[in-house]
Amino acid sequence: MEYYLFLSSNDSLNYHKSNHWADFTVELNQDILLEGEWEIGLLDFTCDVTNSGHVTVCCDLCCPSWMNGHYYPVLRSFYATEGRFNSKFSFPYYIGLHSSSFKRLRLYMLRDDGSSVSFTNEPLRCTLHLRRRR
């Protein structure tokens, strides 16, 4: 069994008015209940970047990882070039989930110094893949 989540930073604006391109929370229509051990991977990522640089995508469903002196729920790190950035990850990294059920999730993007990434007004879009741990 597996799940695909096709997300946009514009999702759930009626619930989370402070959502923006570098930090947003999505409310799902129903709870996702997972039996056993599961993991999550980032399959693709599309956004408009104002400055090239290293981007770390964090998701509150992930088990935390050590990064730059802090624990963050890191999903994936990559280098994004200025302008329209679109990446399909041929080999997604899968990170263990720390929860067996959820109805909401938060995604946020960080620079190496821990500050938010700068995007234009275009919505960020991404696809997450949840699968049973092998």
Side-chain angles (χ1 to χ4, degrees), residues 31-55:
D31 288 332
I32 293 184
L33 304 172
L34 306 170
E35 292 184 22
E37 292 187 34
W38 286 71
E39 55 193 9
I40 187 170
L42 179 65
L43 299 183
D44 59 53
F45 187 88
T46 302
C47 64
D48 276 333
V49 180
T50 56
N51 294 316
S52 297
H54 192 253
V55 174

Side-chain angles (χ1 to χ4, degrees), residues 49-102:
V49 180
T50 56
N51 294 316
S52 297
H54 192 253
V55 174
T56 298
V57 179
C58 296
C59 177
D60 65 353
L61 301 177
C62 297
C63 293
S65 298
W66 185 256
M67 183 183 89
N68 297 330
H70 300 282
Y71 279 106
Y72 292 107
V74 175
L75 183 56
R76 179 95 189 204
S77 290
F78 51 87
Y79 188 87
T81 55
E82 185 176 347
R84 189 72 176 159
F85 178 81
N86 185 4
S87 185
K88 293 182 192 278
F89 302 108
S90 302
F91 300 100
Y93 304 137
Y94 284 90
I95 308 297
L97 294 180
H98 68 74
S99 179
S100 60
S101 68
F102 63 95

